[in-house]
Amino acid sequence: MTPYRIVLRGVVDVARMPLIEDARITHTGAVTTIELPVIDQSHLDGVLVMLRDCGTALVSVQPLTRPEEG
């Protein structure tokens, strides 16, 4: 798993979204930051699609650590 930080414009209630388990969610002004462990690329894609479908404005997506190369 790789931890990711997803930054969204606006205050977003993501507490009931099923793909965002074990996430740390913070609101600072008009920005919502989600930090969560991502299992694989399809999990990340699912989270981003779900956020898009809720009408959120994506600011950035970034891994918090580099994935291990093997």
Side-chain angles (χ1 to χ4, degrees):
M1 276 194 261
T2 303
Y4 270 80
R5 177 179 295 131
I6 301 171
V7 180
L8 308 166
R9 186 174 303 121
V11 176
V12 181
D13 180 18
V14 294
R16 297 183 182 183
M17 296 182 180
L19 292 177
I20 304 182
E21 297 174 1
D22 300 324
R24 192 179 96 191
I25 302 162
T26 57
H27 302 285
T28 306
V31 174
T32 299
T33 302
I34 304 167
E35 292 182 0
L36 74 158
V38 173
I39 298 167
D40 56 21
Q41 189 66 41
S42 64
H43 180 216
L44 179 60
D45 289 344
V47 169
L48 295 176
V49 166
M50 185 174 30
L51 291 170
R52 181 204 64 206
D53 290 349
C54 290
T56 61
L58 183 65
V59 174
S60 67
V61 178
Q62 61 189 143
L64 296 178
T65 60
R66 292 192 141 176
E68 294 181 19
E69 296 182 22

